[in-house]
Amino acid sequence: MRRWLLMLGGLLVWAAHFFAVYAAASIFPGDPAAESLALVATLAEIGANGILLWWTLGRKRTAADGFDEWTWRLGAIGAGLSLLAVLWQGMPLIAST
């Protein structure tokens, strides 16, 4: 289970960001509260992705085999892609502040 969370962690963060921004825009349509909630969600998800990326890249790993090393690399790639996606989706919010 730990390996699955490691490999899919970035994608889960990306999905959580998407649903949080979509829910804020749906619950408060046209309201400045939606922008505020979406900005908070974006900043939180950027932080979560940063921590996940730091953990997968910076942690000294003692890989027992090639599959273990591949798992860590895949987790880092997923966290990096998720960070780019969250930044891309949140760029209008970040630029408007």
Side-chain angles (χ1 to χ4, degrees), residues 12-22 38 41-43 45 85-86 89-90:
L12 292 172
V13 170
W14 183 14
H17 174 261
F18 178 78
F19 287 123
V21 171
Y22 190 86
T42 299
L43 294 177
E45 303 302 335
V86 169
Q89 290 173 342

Side-chain angles (χ1 to χ4, degrees), residues 5-73:
L5 285 176
L6 178 66
M7 290 188 291
L8 297 175
L11 301 176
L12 292 172
V13 170
W14 183 14
H17 174 261
F18 178 78
F19 287 123
V21 171
Y22 190 86
S26 296
I27 294 171
F28 304 108
D31 194 9
E35 288 185 22
S36 299
L37 289 173
L39 182 63
V40 167
T42 299
L43 294 177
E45 303 302 335
I46 288 172
N49 274 322
I51 290 170
L52 186 61
L53 190 60
W54 172 77
W55 185 56
T56 54
L57 288 178
R59 186 173 177 194
K60 184 176 179 178
R61 300 176 296 276
T62 55
D65 55 1
F67 182 70
D68 199 28
E69 182 67 28
W70 179 78
T71 302
W72 283 97
R73 286 186 185 184

